[in-house]
Amino acid sequence: MREAVRKESEIFSELAEICTSPGYVHAIASLCYQNNILIYADKLTPEDMLQQFARDILVRTEVSTLIGLACKKQLNIDLPSPEVIQRYIDKTDSLLKEIHQSMMLPMEYIFDSNEVSDHNFNPFRDGLVLREPIFYSGESAYYFQYRDLSKIKYEKDNDWFLRNKGFSIQQVIDVVMSIQSLQNDKAKNVLRGLFDKNPSEWTVLSAYKFTAKEVSDISNIEIDTVRLVIESFVSSIGMDEFNSLDDFNPKNAYPIIQLPEDEYLLFQIYSLTQALYETPFFWFNDDKAYKNIANQHRGEFTENFSAERLKLVFGEERVFSNIDIYNSKDQVGEIDVLVVFADRAIILQAKSKKLTITSRKGNDNSLQSDFKKAIQEAYDQAYLCATLLNDKKYKLVDKSGKELNINREYKEIYPFCVISEHYPALSFQARQFLKFQETKNIKPPFVMDVFLLDVMTEMLQSPLHFLSYVNRRTSYGDKILSTHELTILSYHLKQNLWIDNKYAMMQIEDEICVDLDLAMLTRRDGAPGSDTPEGILTKYKGTVFDQIIRNIDKLEHSEIISLGFTLLSMSSNAIEMINNGISELIKRGRKDGQHHDLTLEISEGGLGLTIHCNDDHESISRPRLENHCELRKYTQKARSWFGICIGQKVPRLRFGVNKEYDWVQSNEMDELVQDLPKPQNLEGKNKINFAPATRQSKKVGRNEKCPCGSGKKYKKCCLKQEWRM
């Protein structure tokens, strides 16, 4: 039985009462110091980052709520006794836990006995059920992403900033960075200062206070301009309307608090960087003459930023923006960003919609309306364009009016829905609300914000690595449970995302995100740590396997893209076996100058791989590999069989083939494969067995079996090819 839970409104009122107690700001300062300050030695490690995931750590929405409630009355910054501060903290912690429990609806409400028999019933579409994941969802962006993307987002609005606010977007960013630097220094020094004080004087509030002069000195910006920037993030809105968790909290949009004597207070630098990214929306909205222009710029930012990030992975020549689709003279579709790599494509549709306050309160109609505008419309447009992409009767025309001359037959098309704003519990809402279709070549959609796309393109700067992750992430869909997408990406970088068919679900805990958090913090903010998580990007770097993946990227041949996906999804043991196997082939080839090969069954009855190692002319080596793969596919009754040819002198991937068609019995093939040895199976083996290396010592007769292993007579195989040379 569920214990009796007080009403959320009753708990919230009690929380509001304690937050307005004399000197409560010192309790907030203590909580922020415990929650947000990372303590480490010379180098930041993943273990240090784990501090952020302790169970007693408050989420930022909880801290923001405390700050908002404290500001409902005139702030009293008198210092209470340590005992009173601790009592404030203990009571706050207790009330926040109670509020969280009150938001979690009873099971009898979620699984209504009157509706569970309906196969269309989904309790998680209920707005009241969604309130909890929306409020407690993990952050979708790093603070430095908000800071850095703001410069790009408002680049076209800079004249408006100068004309209406008296500062440029770069000056805003410089001021924000200076406040961060100032607070970092104060946080380091505040603890040292406590040693010289009586415990009755202990407080860390000074770490969060600053003046315009201090910021001006660090930023080298005139103090009057600094003051204009700071006061743009000081709320002029009263707190009377902030009476529940779902109400608009002005301290989120305007997180700086004005204190007497030219002092200011900022508890969370994250809140300021998020406000830097989001609050100008309110400024533009108040300017009726500029509002529509600003909205247009916001939409252009989402498209342009997405295109530029994808170019980092795929290159300029494979990424196209603003593509119109025509049927004769009529426009029937528009693609914001199109990516083409061999026989794979990404269709990206961008939106810049926000979740409204009404939706946050759990209003079903509002939630679904917001989702439709932010995600569903983008997906519907992407799906329509995907259906037209493979049909050559439709023309693709770029923004200059020129028709695109690109491949029009795609094995896989991935619809991307990208939004520019923080959308709480985005993945969870997409799971509940998004209506989509999947066809043979149109895959399930990938719903994300610009922040996830930014991180994905930062960490997976290889077409094959990027597409392989997208392929698996979209295929697994509802099989993965996680608070946000960054956790899943971090797991992939560490462990190689893979779910065996025998498992229906995999839950990934937040803690695994520390490796990705550290890598991004190192890359974007100069933290003294590792810039790449130990895992798929580091383990095989410099090996033959790594070289094959790089060569598949470079060759961009449709025949071997699927092989690349297969290789990247393999276990560590299988990859080690392939690495060792190819190394042995190269070693033998260099020793005797002969052709050597290796055949592996990747999955029983499903996939196989034949590796040829030689420097023969492609007119000889390609037909030989084609023949060998056809025989292997037939004898194993496999749905697909791959073949690759590796050079001996230069161990690179020369070319590849893929045999993918239905198996049909053939008397001729039965005769050809009767003496063909079984392939070695990668599953469950520790190493590959090689026959002793022997040099061909006698001349092969015309009617003998070809030594290449194709199963054909020598005169119908390699002899014929050699004669053609």
Side-chain angles (χ1 to χ4, degrees):
M1 288 289 292
R2 189 178 189 233
E3 295 182 11
V5 178
R6 287 196 293 165
K7 288 183 178 179
E8 183 185 314
S9 57
E10 183 182 341
I11 308 166
F12 189 86
S13 295
E14 190 174 341
L15 184 64
E17 184 178 346
I18 194 171
C19 287
T20 52
S21 300
Y24 184 80
V25 287
H26 295 274
I28 295 178
S30 181
L31 287 168
C32 287
Y33 203 92
Q34 294 171 32
N35 280 262
N36 300 331
I37 302 298
L38 282 175
I39 300 173
Y40 61 93
D42 295 334
K43 187 174 181 180
L44 192 57
T45 67
E47 289 71 28
D48 297 324
M49 301 286 287
L50 280 171
Q51 301 169 43
Q52 302 175 94
F53 295 94
R55 293 192 178 277
D56 58 347
I57 292 292
L58 302 181
V59 298
R60 293 190 204 278
T61 45
E62 290 177 309
V63 176
S64 296
T65 298
L66 301 180
I67 296 168
L69 291 176
C71 292
K72 284 179 74 70
K73 291 184 180 179
Q74 183 70 35
L75 278 184
N76 179 322
I77 61 173
D78 294 339
L79 178 62
S81 68
E83 292 78 18
V84 170
I85 293 176
Q86 189 58 52
R87 189 166 69 247
Y88 286 162
I89 292 172
D90 293 341
K91 185 62 176 177
T92 298
D93 186 58
S94 173
L95 289 171
L96 287 174
K97 287 178 179 175
E98 196 176 357
I99 281 183
H100 194 175
Q101 187 179 12
S102 73
M103 291 180 73
M104 299 169 71
L105 298 173
M107 297 302 289
E108 53 267 27
Y109 175 90
I110 297 175
F111 296 102
D112 188 335
S113 58
N114 296 320
E115 297 191 62
V116 290
S117 58
D118 181 357
H119 70 277
N120 292 319
F121 172 64
N122 182 352
F124 299 105
R125 291 178 183 165
D126 188 310
L128 294 178
V129 176
L130 281 167
R131 283 186 69 240
E132 192 271 343
I134 287 174
F135 186 81
Y136 291 97
S137 65
E139 288 130 9
S140 67
Y142 297 108
Y143 70 87
F144 43 81
Q145 285 183 295
Y146 280 131
R147 180 195 67 205
D148 297 342
L149 268 64
S150 292
K151 183 176 181 178
I152 307 170
K153 183 179 183 182
Y154 297 117
E155 191 174 31
K156 294 183 177 179
D157 301 304
N158 197 52
D159 288 344
W160 187 94
F161 275 90
L162 289 167
R163 188 170 59 251
N164 293 273
K165 304 296 287 185
F167 49 75
S168 68
I169 183 60
Q170 185 60 57
Q171 287 174 320
V172 186
I173 294 169
D174 290 343
V175 167
V176 170
M177 291 178 69
S178 299
I179 294 172
Q180 179 184 355
S181 177
L182 185 64
Q183 290 196 331
N184 284 344
D185 290 340
K186 290 188 174 187
K188 294 174 188 175
N189 297 328
V190 70
L191 286 182
R192 298 191 190 107
L194 298 183
F195 290 116
D196 300 326
K197 294 182 178 180
N198 186 287
S200 63
E201 300 178 278
W202 284 1
T203 178
V204 293
L205 184 65
S206 61
Y208 300 99
K209 294 163 69 176
F210 61 92
T211 66
K213 184 179 185 308
E214 288 176 316
V215 177
S216 176
D217 290 343
I218 293 177
S219 64
N220 291 319
I221 299 174
E222 290 288 336
I223 190 169
D224 290 341
T225 303
V226 168
R227 193 173 282 111
L228 283 173
V229 173
I230 292 172
E231 292 183 357
S232 291
F233 295 97
V234 174
S235 176
S236 59
I237 305 171
M239 301 300 296
D240 292 343
E241 301 301 316
F242 182 48
N243 296 309
S244 76
L245 291 177
D246 310 308
D247 287 337
F248 174 65
N249 181 355
K251 295 307 172 189
N252 286 328
Y254 302 94
I256 297 177
I257 301 168
Q258 178 98 50
L259 295 176
E261 300 178 3
D262 199 32
E263 278 195 311
Y264 299 94
L265 188 60
L266 174 68
F267 282 116
Q268 299 187 108
I269 191 67
Y270 186 98
S271 296
L272 182 57
T273 58
Q274 185 172 7
L276 168 63
Y277 186 84
E278 296 181 350
T279 298
F281 170 82
F282 300 109
W283 304 343
F284 297 147
N285 256 14
D286 290 337
D287 186 341
K288 292 189 175 12
Y290 193 76
K291 178 180 176 180
N292 291 336
I293 298 172
N295 284 337
Q296 180 182 340
H297 290 169
R298 191 161 54 142
E300 291 171 354
F301 155 73
T302 315
E303 294 178 20
N304 295 338
F305 179 78
S306 299
E308 290 305 311
R309 293 306 299 177
L310 288 166
K311 286 176 185 177
L312 283 179
V313 179
F314 296 95
E316 293 259 354
E317 69 281 5
R318 301 190 187 104
V319 180
F320 309 92
S321 299
N322 299 313
I323 303 302
D324 293 326
I325 305 177
Y326 284 90
N327 180 8
S328 298
K329 295 182 179 180
D330 298 324
Q331 182 180 342
V332 293
E334 181 183 359
I335 302 174
D336 290 339
V337 182
L338 172 65
V339 179
V340 173
F341 183 76
D343 59 355
R344 265 66 175 185
I346 294 171
I347 292 179
L348 185 151
Q349 301 298 147
K351 293 290 182 183
S352 53
K353 302 293 184 182
K354 297 170 69 74
L355 190 68
T356 60
I357 299 298
T358 310
S359 294
R360 291 174 187 269
K361 289 178 176 291
N363 182 288
D364 288 1
N365 292 332
S366 179
L367 267 168
Q368 295 191 41
S369 174
D370 283 355
F371 187 86
K372 184 176 184 296
K373 293 173 184 175
I375 308 298
Q376 189 66 57
E377 289 180 3
Y379 170 74
D380 291 343
Q381 187 176 357
Y383 181 81
L384 170 64
C385 293
T387 62
L388 305 177
L389 194 60
N390 274 343
D391 193 334
K392 295 180 182 178
K393 75 178 182 182
Y394 294 98
K395 292 183 179 181
L396 305 180
V397 180
D398 65 19
K399 53 190 174 186
S400 68
K402 183 180 177 182
E403 184 175 355
L404 288 186
N405 182 23
I406 57 174
N407 173 43
R408 296 298 299 275
E409 295 181 4
Y410 298 99
K411 186 172 183 179
E412 292 175 348
I413 302 173
Y414 299 100
F416 278 21
C417 305
V418 179
I419 58 174
S420 63
E421 308 302 311
H422 169 56
Y423 202 93
L426 177 60
S427 294
F428 187 79
Q429 290 197 54
R431 188 192 300 258
Q432 312 312 322
F433 294 129
L434 186 59
K435 298 174 182 176
F436 66 89
Q437 302 176 62
E438 182 178 1
T439 69
K440 183 179 179 181
N441 62 355
I442 302 176
K443 299 303 176 182
F446 201 157
V447 178
M448 67 184 80
D449 52 35
V450 290
F451 310 111
L452 175 62
L453 182 63
D454 183 33
V455 179
M456 285 173 59
T457 53
E458 179 71 33
M459 302 309 302
L460 300 171
Q461 289 191 12
S462 140
L464 204 57
H465 274 289
F466 188 90
L467 288 172
S468 174
Y469 177 68
V470 170
N471 176 273
R472 275 178 271 168
R473 179 64 192 98
T474 55
S475 296
Y476 294 147
D478 292 349
K479 280 191 171 185
I480 303 176
L481 284 180
S482 176
T483 55
H484 57 76
E485 286 290 335
L486 290 175
T487 303
I488 303 172
L489 177 60
S490 186
Y491 177 88
H492 174 66
L493 295 172
K494 289 287 292 178
Q495 305 289 345
N496 201 4
L497 184 64
W498 176 258
I499 303 178
D500 194 291
N501 289 332
K502 65 183 178 183
Y503 298 115
M505 188 75 66
M506 178 171 74
Q507 182 167 349
I508 302 176
E509 296 297 329
D510 289 349
E511 286 84 350
I512 200 168
C513 206
V514 295
D515 297 274
L516 179 58
D517 292 347
L518 177 55
M520 289 298 295
L521 192 61
T522 301
R523 290 174 180 232
R524 297 291 179 84
D525 222 34
S530 173
D531 64 2
T532 305
E534 290 292 327
I536 64 170
L537 300 179
T538 61
K539 189 170 184 180
Y540 303 106
K541 193 172 183 179
T543 65
V544 175
F545 178 86
D546 180 50
Q547 187 61 46
I548 290 174
I549 298 301
R550 292 175 184 272
N551 290 155
I552 293 175
D553 271 340
K554 187 176 180 179
L555 290 173
E556 195 184 349
H557 289 169
S558 301
E559 299 95 327
I560 51 176
I561 299 298
S562 295
L563 171 62
F565 286 3
T566 301
L567 293 175
L568 288 175
S569 67
M570 285 181 173
S571 67
S572 297
N573 187 48
I575 292 173
E576 292 287 355
M577 290 169 64
I578 289 175
N579 255 334
N580 295 335
I582 295 176
S583 297
E584 180 65 22
L585 292 181
I586 293 169
K587 177 183 174 182
R588 294 183 178 207
R590 288 176 176 175
K591 184 177 180 181
D592 62 18
Q594 301 295 312
H595 162 88
H596 291 274
D597 59 66
L598 174 65
T599 290
L600 305 168
E601 187 177 28
I602 297 172
S603 61
E604 191 172 345
L607 298 172
L609 170 64
T610 292
I611 305 166
H612 280 192
C613 182
N614 61 68
D615 288 326
D616 296 337
H617 193 278
E618 190 171 339
S619 62
I620 294 175
S621 54
R622 180 179 284 274
R624 180 166 58 204
L625 182 59
E626 297 261 7
N627 292 339
H628 204 161
C629 289
E630 287 174 1
L631 295 173
R632 286 299 184 180
K633 182 183 185 307
Y634 182 83
T635 191
Q636 298 305 124
K637 298 182 180 179
R639 69 174 184 271
S640 182
W641 202 274
F642 297 104
I644 56 174
C645 184
I646 307 292
Q648 287 177 349
K649 292 178 182 177
V650 180
R652 62 177 177 82
L653 176 62
R654 298 177 58 205
F655 58 85
V657 300
N658 180 17
K659 300 298 179 181
E660 189 169 2
Y661 46 80
D662 293 337
W663 186 88
V664 178
Q665 191 275 332
S666 163
N667 293 334
E668 181 184 358
M669 291 292 281
D670 286 337
E671 182 180 350
L672 288 173
V673 303
Q674 60 182 343
D675 296 325
L676 205 61
K678 288 186 177 181
Q680 299 193 54
N681 196 314
L682 281 176
E683 296 180 354
K685 291 178 70 71
N686 293 318
K687 65 178 183 177
I688 294 173
N689 297 316
F690 284 92
T694 58
R695 180 178 290 275
Q696 186 70 33
S697 58
K698 70 181 184 69
K699 186 176 181 181
V700 181
R702 291 170 54 85
N703 292 313
E704 292 185 62
K705 286 193 175 180
C706 186
C708 78
S710 68
K712 294 184 178 182
K713 290 181 179 181
Y714 180 51
K715 66 181 181 182
K716 292 186 177 182
C717 189
C718 290
L719 177 63
K720 188 177 182 181
Q721 293 155 13
E722 290 167 6
W723 181 81
R724 284 178 179 170
M725 278 289 291

